[in-house]
């Protein structure tokens, strides 16, 4: 990667290399309004875009990208844009396997560099966890361990949470496991973030998570 490449920016804020970001939204319109500038900037800078989406919404996602002025079809052919469904990553094999996903994540990210792209900007719709009854209980530990699993090469991973699907307990866990948070188009260095080595100490003693009543942020 060239030492002169442009900074990675999200809503006007420079991101440090190798960032794990969480964002919250309530509607599809809000989600794309917040994330599309990040997607477009990456494509223009020659970075790779890797998106994990609801399989049933893959076509809609591609259409949204095209409507934003990004020529999605050739970008996919050339490998700069990769869109996969939940069933190809976190729910590969039909259920969530934390060890397998933590091993797969750096492979997916490093594959971009193998293909000649300086960094990968990965966006994951976290609603996949609701499709596996046992995954919700392991989400805190998984998000915590992602911080150690990311390659130290400048890749950016954004976990997108729908506030109408997740309750307050999950939102709090998301805040504790991401150094950067994006809320309402505002980027913040997260004061609630807890380093993995500290947070993992309490994981075994936690009660099972609940989706509960949607949180307000």
């Amino acid at each position: 990667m060239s030492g002169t490449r442009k900074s990675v920016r999200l809503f006007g804020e420079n991101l440090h290399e190798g960032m794990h970001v969480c964002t919250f939204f309530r509607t599809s319109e809000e989600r794309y309004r917040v994330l599309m500038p990040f997607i477009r900037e990456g494509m223009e800078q020659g970075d790779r875009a890797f998106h994990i989406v609801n399989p049933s919404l893959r076509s809609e996602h591609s259409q949204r990208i095209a409507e934003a002025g990004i020529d999605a079809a050739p970008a996919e052919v050339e490998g700069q844009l990769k869109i996969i469904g939940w069933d190809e990553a976190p729910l590969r094999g039909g259920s969530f396997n934390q060890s397998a996903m933590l091993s797969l994540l750096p492979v997916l990210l490093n594959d971009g560099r193998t293909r000649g792209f300086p960094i990968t900007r990965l966006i994951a719709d976290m609603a996949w966890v609701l499709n596996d009854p046992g995954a919700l209980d392991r989400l805190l530990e998984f998000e915590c361990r992602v911080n150690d699993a990311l390659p130290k090469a400048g890749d950016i991973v954004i976990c997108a949470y729908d506030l109408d699907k997740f309750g307050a307990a999950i939102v709090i866990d998301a805040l504790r496991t991401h150094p950067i948070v994006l809320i309402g188009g505002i980027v913040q260095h997260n004061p609630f973030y807890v380093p993995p080595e500290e947070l993992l100490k309490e994981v075994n003693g936690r009660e099972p998570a609940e989706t509960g009543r949607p949180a307000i942020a």
Side-chain angles (χ1 to χ4, degrees):
M1 182 171 65
S2 171
T4 61
R5 80 177 307 278
K6 296 179 181 179
S7 299
V8 176
R9 296 178 67 81
L10 185 59
F11 270 73
E13 293 289 332
N14 288 324
L15 298 185
H16 298 295
E17 292 190 348
M19 274 296 147
H20 188 201
V21 183
C22 66
T23 185
F24 304 103
F25 63 94
R26 290 194 181 280
T27 67
S28 292
E29 292 299 328
E30 181 182 4
R31 176 185 179 184
Y32 285 103
R33 176 181 61 80
V34 169
L35 293 178
M36 196 57 71
F38 175 76
I39 296 171
R40 186 186 301 109
E41 177 201 66
M43 299 292 288
E44 292 173 350
Q45 290 191 176
D47 298 335
R48 193 183 197 204
F50 198 111
H51 302 162
I52 301 174
V53 302
N54 183 333
S56 67
L57 299 178
R58 190 192 185 287
S59 295
E60 178 185 339
H61 185 72
S62 295
Q63 182 62 32
R64 291 271 193 170
I65 291 175
E67 290 173 353
I70 298 170
D71 206 349
E76 288 193 76
V77 172
E78 295 167 4
Q80 187 181 13
L81 172 63
K82 181 72 173 180
I83 304 172
I84 65 172
W86 299 331
D87 53 327
E88 298 176 70
L91 297 181
R92 189 168 63 172
S95 61
F96 176 57
N97 183 315
Q98 177 175 255
S99 296
M101 188 58 194
L102 289 172
S103 297
L104 178 63
L105 182 58
V107 173
L108 296 178
L109 295 172
N110 285 322
D111 181 59
R113 275 175 286 283
T114 300
R115 294 171 180 268
F117 300 103
I119 68 170
T120 292
R121 300 177 180 221
L122 188 151
I123 300 174
D125 183 346
M126 297 304 293
W128 62 263
V129 73
L130 302 176
N131 288 267
D132 182 345
L136 201 59
D137 293 343
R138 290 169 283 164
L139 184 59
L140 172 68
E141 180 180 0
F142 172 67
E143 286 278 46
C144 185
R145 293 188 183 279
V146 165
N147 291 293
D148 290 329
L150 294 181
K152 308 303 182 184
D155 301 306
I156 307 296
V157 173
I158 296 183
C159 300
Y161 285 85
D162 186 335
L163 290 174
D164 287 333
K165 295 179 179 178
F166 291 100
I170 298 302
V171 172
I172 291 172
D173 284 349
L175 287 171
R176 300 180 74 200
T177 51
H178 295 79
I180 298 292
V181 59
L182 173 62
I183 301 179
I186 299 175
V187 178
Q188 300 182 26
H189 292 273
N190 185 7
F192 302 105
Y193 172 67
V194 180
E197 61 273 14
E198 295 181 27
L199 192 54
L200 286 172
K201 293 178 182 179
E202 71 176 66
V203 168
N204 291 334
R206 287 182 57 106
E207 295 294 330
E210 298 179 357
T211 54
R213 182 178 177 180
I216 299 175

